[in-house]
Amino acid sequence: MQGNQAMAEGAFYAGARFYAGYPITPSSEIAEECSRKMPQMGGVFMQMEDEIASMAAIIGASLAGAKSFTATSGPGFSLMQENLGLAVMGEVPCVVINVQRSGPSTGLATKPAQSDVMQLRWGRHGDQMVIALSPASVSECFSLTVTAFNFAEKFRVPVILAPDEVIGHLRENVRIPAPGELEVIDRKKPSGPPEKYKPFAADADGVAPLAAYGSDYIFHVSSSMHGPDGYSNNNPANAAWRVDQLHRKIERHREEIVLTKTFDTEDADILLIAFGATTRASRAAALELRKQGIRAGVLQLITLWPFADQEVAALGQRARTVIVTEMNYSGQVAGEVRKVLGAAADIRQVNKYNGQIITPQDILEVIR
């Protein structure tokens, strides 16, 4: 199965029954899968006129009670930013898949990159937190799509799944779990009298129940600063409360949200930090170094945002040298690692930004 197909299957498994999108390389196979299978499951597939409308459609579908998602790449992800900000402000659960490709602009439309890391975090204006995940295998394409929907539903947030083109088009064997084998989470719904429902009044866990449009609960969602009742409220104290809530409901659940994997890091003198396709080259390089008697290990960042600063600190401070591998020029993850470990740490970078993948040999050359 292809990575893009696995993400579509993961969405179906998680209960997604609404897809709206505009095909764009290298994510188009996700739309193709949804166009064939979503109607067979009683769901809805909508071919939209552009990515702006696609993002707006999945927000509307989610507020009507459906688990919804879209998929795009590069320029399409840029077009989605304004409405993605609306989903953040309105605390609308949904999933956006951004299969990263080379840029800027149209760039190398069929070639891989990992240069959207900062756009995932800061692509929208305003102060906010997001959750962004990055798979490194076809199996993870499936399982992390389920996780993305679970996070979206549990925390009432849009979640971004950001594979690179290599992983989106990678073909590997994958076993689809039986129904019930993986946990599937549905959003909390209100249980009190409809006339007393306030859609942004959070429970003790920091997350407010979400009713559905068309139900007995009549509620308002606005992109403007709003109070617990959803209506505009420009009071400074209310604005501070809203921004706090958008951040803290993610911060307080950090231990659940930040996901990493480690490979041979217990005694590692050299720590490779990677995500997506570069994880695979990093693991191959680490194994080769082990053959040469050099203790090397790999930290795979599955959750890109919130950043795994505690995990990087725990392993990076024990290592003699840290190497960050990523397919971009500016070292977007390396910069975050440097913030955590400090300027005195021996941090080396392996960057490639010509549409070609990073190979194990590229990494080994930095160590020699």
Side-chain angles (χ1 to χ4, degrees):
M1 180 180 291
Q2 188 191 68
N4 280 342
Q5 294 172 314
M7 287 183 278
E9 292 292 337
F12 304 151
Y13 188 97
R17 293 296 181 268
F18 184 91
Y19 178 95
Y22 184 84
I24 181 171
T25 302
S27 71
S28 297
E29 293 85 358
I30 300 171
E32 292 173 8
E33 287 293 296
C34 290
S35 69
R36 290 193 302 110
K37 295 186 177 178
M38 196 69 91
Q40 299 172 10
M41 296 182 291
V44 173
F45 169 86
M46 292 188 70
Q47 161 79 58
M48 304 303 293
E49 65 268 35
D50 58 31
E51 291 86 350
I52 300 172
S54 301
M55 191 67 219
I58 68 167
I59 289 172
S62 179
L63 289 173
K67 290 186 179 181
S68 63
F69 75 118
T70 187
T72 189
S73 183
F77 189 57
S78 296
L79 287 172
M80 291 181 176
Q81 295 303 317
E82 183 176 4
N83 279 330
L84 189 51
L86 168 60
V88 171
M89 187 60 151
E91 300 187 59
V92 181
C94 57
V95 173
V96 177
I97 300 173
N98 171 31
V99 185
Q100 297 180 78
R101 76 185 203 190
S102 177
S105 192
T106 305
L108 300 169
T110 63
K111 301 298 183 183
Q114 296 174 321
S115 52
D116 297 348
V117 176
M118 287 299 162
Q119 188 187 27
L120 302 174
R121 176 68 182 89
W122 300 110
R124 303 142 303 282
H125 68 279
D127 202 359
Q128 61 194 263
M129 287 282 284
V130 297
I131 299 173
L133 310 174
S134 181
S137 67
V138 176
S139 177
E140 288 182 359
C141 284
F142 179 90
S143 61
L144 287 184
T145 303
V146 177
T147 301
F149 274 97
N150 285 346
F151 284 169
E153 294 285 310
K154 185 171 185 177
F155 304 119
R156 265 189 73 173
V157 292
V159 175
I160 306 165
L161 187 64
D164 48 70
E165 182 275 341
V166 174
I167 300 301
H169 282 159
L170 182 67
R171 289 188 179 274
E172 292 179 318
N173 292 330
V174 59
R175 186 183 71 83
I176 302 298
E181 193 172 337
L182 292 184
E183 182 184 27
V184 171
I185 296 174
D186 297 324
R187 66 192 66 173
K188 288 189 299 184
K189 296 179 180 177
S191 57
E195 64 273 15
K196 293 185 177 180
Y197 175 58
K198 293 183 178 180
F200 297 97
D203 291 338
D205 63 356
V207 182
L210 181 60
Y213 285 163
S215 69
D216 292 337
Y217 294 84
I218 299 172
F219 63 103
H220 187 74
V221 174
S222 170
S223 62
S224 296
M225 196 61 71
H226 49 263
D229 59 1
Y231 287 90
S232 294
N233 186 331
N234 294 334
N235 182 284
N238 179 77
W241 165 75
R242 281 297 297 145
V243 175
D244 283 351
Q245 186 184 31
L246 295 178
H247 283 77
R248 289 179 180 171
K249 70 175 180 178
I250 295 177
E251 292 171 350
R252 68 192 301 174
H253 298 285
R254 180 205 180 276
E255 296 305 311
E256 181 179 354
I257 294 170
V258 175
L259 307 173
T260 61
K261 284 184 180 177
T262 57
F263 305 92
D264 298 324
T265 56
E266 295 79 8
D267 61 346
D269 292 325
I270 294 179
L271 178 67
L272 299 167
I273 299 178
F275 61 101
T278 60
T279 304
R280 307 166 77 93
S282 297
R283 289 187 64 187
L287 290 173
E288 178 59 31
L289 289 170
R290 289 265 170 186
K291 290 179 183 176
Q292 299 174 15
I294 300 173
R295 294 194 295 263
V298 177
L299 171 62
Q300 178 192 350
L301 305 179
I302 296 174
T303 301
L304 295 178
W305 302 109
F307 191 68
D309 49 1
Q310 296 176 23
E311 291 75 10
V312 168
L315 295 176
Q317 290 170 354
R318 296 205 314 250
R320 175 169 48 84
T321 299
V322 174
I323 300 171
V324 184
T325 62
E326 51 189 321
M327 290 187 286
N328 60 59
Y329 173 86
S330 50
Q332 297 177 24
V333 168
E336 296 302 304
V337 172
R338 192 165 284 108
K339 287 181 187 175
V340 173
L341 299 179
D346 181 10
I347 301 172
R348 306 180 189 183
Q349 296 180 214
V350 179
N351 302 90
K352 190 170 277 189
Y353 37 87
N354 61 355
Q356 301 296 305
I357 62 172
I358 290 175
T359 66
Q361 290 69 32
D362 293 330
I363 299 169
L364 295 173
E365 287 177 4
V366 173
I367 299 171
R368 292 192 180 103

